Amino acid sequence: TMDKTLYDLSYKMPIFKGKAVNHKSARHNIIKEIQTTPKYSIKSEDIQLTDCDWHLGESYPKTYWPYAFDAISPCISQSAVEMEFSRWEIGDHWYQWYEQGDYHNWHTHGNSMFVGVYYALLPSGSPSITFNWQGELINFAVEEGDVIIFPAYLRHKASVNESSETKVILSFNLNYR
């Protein structure tokens, strides 16, 4: 089920939150598939990730994606209904593997209307997502198995993972028609 959440501050903005279908099975298969691929860490001032396949492009086999797609599709379909769109399509999609000390600073997503994040592995106490809209910081509460969908222009970040446990998210750019 998808909850439609509108923050009633000085603005209104659609941020959708739902639960992935068959999350435990999907999580197991996603993690297993990611662990069979070579590790590609990213380390810069704005982002530090133990492993990520964002930069590898669509020609690189993302064997975990069919499991993720099946788990998140119902949430995406429901968000489309809520916004009165008849179709949707996912563009770029990737995983981010966070170990202790990893983070992703403020950013937005270009070339898409919305962004989705599936929290495939989120140990208790792990940082989720913070939005910055017109200078107001919104710490959005999520738990493992959640799928959130929000406007691509909305600045967001993942704070430093201070936990000694691994956090894994799948991000995707989303367009509606």
Side-chain angles (χ1 to χ4, degrees), residues 10-28:
S10 59
Y11 58 91
K12 291 196 182 251
M13 182 176 311
I15 301 176
F16 299 90
K17 180 178 173 184
K19 291 286 185 194
V21 175
N22 298 320
H23 166 66
K24 288 183 180 179
S25 174
R27 176 192 64 204
H28 171 78

Side-chain angles (χ1 to χ4, degrees), residues 23 117-122 127-129 140 142-148 167-170:
H23 166 66
V117 178
Y118 171 28
Y119 290 87
L121 185 61
L122 188 67
S128 56
I129 192 167
F140 196 80
V142 295
E143 56 189 36
E144 185 175 297
D146 282 351
V147 177
I148 61 170
K167 167 185 163 183
V168 177
I169 67 163
L170 280 68

Side-chain angles (χ1 to χ4, degrees), residues 21 27 45 56 85 158:
V21 175
R27 176 192 64 204
E45 184 178 325
L56 297 178
F85 287 106

Side-chain angles (χ1 to χ4, degrees), residues 29-30 33-34 36-37 52-69 91-95 170-172:
N29 289 316
I30 289 165
E33 291 298 324
I34 290 172
T36 66
T37 63
C52 180
D53 67 344
W54 174 80
H55 60 293
L56 297 178
E58 295 307 310
S59 63
Y60 186 83
K62 297 183 177 190
T63 56
Y64 62 87
W65 187 249
Y67 302 107
F69 185 84
D92 295 332
H93 51 278
W94 60 97
Y95 70 84
L170 280 68
S171 295
F172 52 96

Side-chain angles (χ1 to χ4, degrees), residues 82-96:
E82 293 287 339
M83 292 188 289
E84 300 181 2
F85 287 106
S86 60
R87 295 182 327 209
W88 53 268
E89 62 187 22
I90 294 174
D92 295 332
H93 51 278
W94 60 97
Y95 70 84
Q96 294 182 349

Side-chain angles (χ1 to χ4, degrees), residues 4-157:
K4 181 175 161 187
T5 305
L6 288 176
Y7 282 99
D8 189 18
L9 302 171
S10 59
Y11 58 91
K12 291 196 182 251
M13 182 176 311
I15 301 176
F16 299 90
K17 180 178 173 184
K19 291 286 185 194
V21 175
N22 298 320
H23 166 66
K24 288 183 180 179
S25 174
R27 176 192 64 204
H28 171 78
N29 289 316
I30 289 165
I31 300 301
K32 181 179 75 171
E33 291 298 324
I34 290 172
Q35 288 177 325
T36 66
T37 63
K39 293 244 182 275
Y40 294 93
S41 64
I42 300 175
K43 304 217 184 287
S44 74
E45 184 178 325
D46 293 324
I47 183 170
Q48 177 174 309
L49 292 170
T50 296
D51 192 14
C52 180
D53 67 344
W54 174 80
H55 60 293
L56 297 178
E58 295 307 310
S59 63
Y60 186 83
K62 297 183 177 190
T63 56
Y64 62 87
W65 187 249
Y67 302 107
F69 185 84
D70 289 346
I72 65 176
S73 292
C75 291
I76 299 169
S77 293
Q78 183 61 38
S79 71
V81 168
E82 293 287 339
M83 292 188 289
E84 300 181 2
F85 287 106
S86 60
R87 295 182 327 209
W88 53 268
E89 62 187 22
I90 294 174
D92 295 332
H93 51 278
W94 60 97
Y95 70 84
Q96 294 182 349
W97 187 288
Y98 293 79
E99 295 293 348
Q100 190 170 30
D102 289 348
Y103 60 89
H104 194 170
N105 274 335
W106 295 112
H107 64 284
T108 59
H109 293 228
N111 299 323
S112 66
M113 295 170 68
F114 280 76
V115 174
V117 178
Y118 171 28
Y119 290 87
L121 185 61
L122 188 67
S124 177
S126 296
S128 56
I129 192 167
T130 303
F131 297 114
N132 182 341
W133 179 247
Q134 298 178 335
E136 180 140 8
L137 300 182
I138 302 164
N139 292 310
F140 196 80
V142 295
E143 56 189 36
E144 185 175 297
D146 282 351
V147 177
I148 61 170
I149 298 169
F150 55 91
Y153 60 80
L154 185 56
R155 289 175 48 81
H156 58 284
K157 75 173 186 172

